[in-house]
Amino acid sequence: MDKKGERIIGSMFAMNKPKLGDNFELLLELPNETMRLDIENIQTPLLAYMGEELDNYSISLKITVNEAVAVKHAFTPQDKYDKLKEKNPLIDKLRAKFDLDI
């Protein structure tokens, strides 16, 4: 998808890698309804491509929306800092000692 200029779609798959369910069902969990609609809009050509490339036309896609997934990804500098601070609380002391902005 990235090679075709569909970077948004490509990033959705990079954020949450699909899992393989029963009977060649790809399980994809997305953080919001908008992303689900974007994937559903390209679902037919995507499944056709995968069926051809993998020589398996039994592949299907099951999309679920889980808003808790959005918490995993840090988008703003403050989000990134908070995520880093969760991993290492001493980072806040370092920031304060050198009077750094976020």
Side-chain angles (χ1 to χ4, degrees), residues 69-84:
V69 173
V71 175
K72 288 192 226 175
H73 305 287
F75 297 105
T76 67
Q78 182 65 48
D79 291 342
K80 291 175 184 178
Y81 176 75
D82 291 341
K83 194 165 182 98
L84 185 60

Side-chain angles (χ1 to χ4, degrees), residues 38-72:
D38 287 342
I39 295 292
E40 284 181 351
N41 286 337
I42 58 105
Q43 183 172 349
T44 301
L46 177 66
L47 291 176
Y49 173 79
M50 287 194 295
E52 187 175 315
E53 288 293 312
L54 300 172
D55 195 27
N56 182 349
Y57 294 93
S58 299
I59 298 171
S60 63
L61 187 61
K62 181 178 180 186
I63 304 167
T64 56
V65 175
N66 181 357
E67 293 182 9
V69 173
V71 175
K72 288 192 226 175

